[in-house]
Amino acid sequence: MITTLFKMSRPVNIAIAMVTLCVGYFLMGFAFWKGVGIGVPNLILELLGFAFAIGFANIQNDILDLESDRMNRPERPLVRGTISLPQAKAASIAGAILTLLCGLIDSLLLWQSSSPDTAVIPALFFVALTLLLVAYNSKLKHIPLLKNMTVAFLCATPLILNWLHSPVLNLDSLGKLYPAMLFAFLLTTAREIYKDLEDETGDLKAGIMTFPLIAGCTTARRFAGTIILFTWILLPLPVMQGYYPQLFLILTAITMTPTLGITLLMAGKKNYRKAQSTTKIAMFLGLISLVISTAA
């Protein structure tokens, strides 16, 4: 059962969130090994908080999407019967509780350290994240396009937590983080539209209205492609603003440009699953480019 629950929690998504959180702190100049920024225990608690949050949300999503998954995702454990519905519900509730607990302990540690003024941030953040995830699963995912943008926003939440730990919350402190936030939001929105395009037949049979079903698959595909192109056009922006060196532009030209091109090509061939994969790869390459540029 534990192995099944682990698969249901989407470990790849958990790993992406954890990496994003660590990358964000690195971009801000936090160095845990030197005692700069938040402490190692705080980092561990925040990593676990995101892991439990993503786990509980994905398991809850599988519970609520059981009927549509019978057509769109027949390989999922609940559909196959490898785990019972009560077991999945119990695991989801446990994940939510552990998420809130991580935030609370993180705040208590900050309160006892040299950061009492910002101690309440992790607790409030993980409460808000939990509520947003519940709202998405129960309401927001049924609203076309808004559901895609909500998922995109959720992907940027590790970077938002990074920024909330800044000594001063202003635009300057956001300068090193906003490129990652922006690219994560845009590319995830496009990826989610591709996901809806892939699931179009099953969603129609299940009565789930998505953006492609309302606007048409051609319009949805073009809109996602426009987002991809817009992201590519914005790549020079952080360099022009002076937040990153020209090395960032060179790295993204070598890595992200061909990857985004492949994404558009796969979408044009209606290979939406491949388009989703290459979009994720582009996001990862963008983060790597930001890290290398910062280190350089």
Side-chain angles (χ1 to χ4, degrees):
M1 185 182 75
I2 294 177
T3 302
T4 301
L5 288 172
F6 179 72
K7 292 179 180 178
M8 291 176 69
S9 70
R10 315 293 198 275
V12 173
N13 292 347
I14 290 174
I16 291 173
M18 288 180 162
V19 170
T20 302
L21 184 71
C22 293
V23 167
Y25 282 132
F26 178 79
L27 297 178
M28 290 174 61
F30 284 21
F32 310 105
W33 57 93
K34 295 181 181 178
V36 179
I38 64 173
V40 173
N42 301 99
L43 174 63
I44 293 174
L45 284 166
E46 290 175 7
L47 290 171
L48 290 174
F50 274 105
F52 289 131
I54 294 170
F56 110 78
N58 281 315
I59 294 173
Q60 184 187 59
N61 181 73
D62 283 2
I63 294 170
L64 297 174
D65 283 355
L66 181 57
E67 291 307 314
S68 62
D69 281 347
R70 294 187 193 278
M71 291 173 279
N72 290 332
R73 296 286 189 273
E75 76 281 358
R76 287 187 172 171
L78 275 175
V79 178
R80 292 166 53 203
T82 54
I83 188 171
S84 68
L85 199 57
Q87 289 173 326
K89 289 180 178 179
S92 179
I93 293 171
I97 293 173
L98 289 170
T99 299
L100 299 175
L101 191 60
C102 286
L104 177 61
I105 297 174
D106 191 6
S107 287
L108 289 174
L109 289 179
L110 285 174
W111 183 72
Q112 294 173 354
S113 66
S114 58
S115 306
D117 296 337
T118 59
V120 71
I121 287 176
L124 292 179
F125 175 85
F126 281 107
V127 168
L129 178 61
T130 301
L131 291 175
L132 180 57
L133 288 167
V134 172
Y136 171 79
N137 281 336
S138 59
K139 298 291 184 182
L140 298 178
K141 73 177 181 181
H142 301 296
I143 304 176
L145 199 56
L146 178 60
K147 79 158 194 167
N148 308 103
M149 297 175 70
T150 302
V151 173
F153 176 79
L154 287 167
C155 287
T157 51
L159 298 165
I160 294 174
L161 181 57
N162 293 146
W163 182 57
L164 291 175
H165 277 298
S166 299
V168 180
L169 296 179
N170 55 28
L171 292 177
D172 287 335
S173 64
L174 194 60
K176 283 289 185 179
L177 289 174
Y178 96 83
M181 291 181 180
L182 183 62
F183 298 147
F185 178 81
L186 291 173
L187 291 177
T188 302
T189 300
R191 190 192 77 207
E192 286 297 305
I193 293 174
Y194 289 141
K195 182 176 181 294
D196 284 347
L197 283 163
E198 181 189 6
D199 295 343
E200 189 175 13
T201 302
D203 288 338
L204 181 61
K205 291 180 179 178
I208 300 173
M209 298 310 296
T210 61
F211 179 58
L213 288 176
I214 291 178
C217 61
T218 301
T219 300
R221 183 173 65 250
R222 288 175 178 172
F223 182 65
T226 300
I227 294 174
I228 296 290
L229 287 173
F230 183 62
T231 304
W232 180 75
I233 292 171
L234 289 178
L235 289 177
L237 187 60
V239 177
M240 295 169 62
Q241 293 175 316
Y243 291 121
Y244 285 90
Q246 291 184 355
L247 177 62
F248 172 73
L249 197 54
I250 296 171
L251 291 173
T252 52
I254 296 172
T255 59
M256 287 188 69
T257 297
T259 307
L260 293 176
I262 293 172
T263 299
L264 294 175
L265 181 63
M266 291 298 103
K269 293 181 177 180
K270 299 184 179 182
N271 188 344
Y272 298 122
R273 179 159 295 191
K274 186 67 174 180
Q276 292 175 63
S277 300
T278 52
T279 304
K280 279 188 177 182
I281 293 172
M283 291 171 58
F284 178 74
L285 293 173
L287 285 177
I288 293 296
S289 299
L290 288 171
V291 169
I292 295 175
S293 300
T294 299

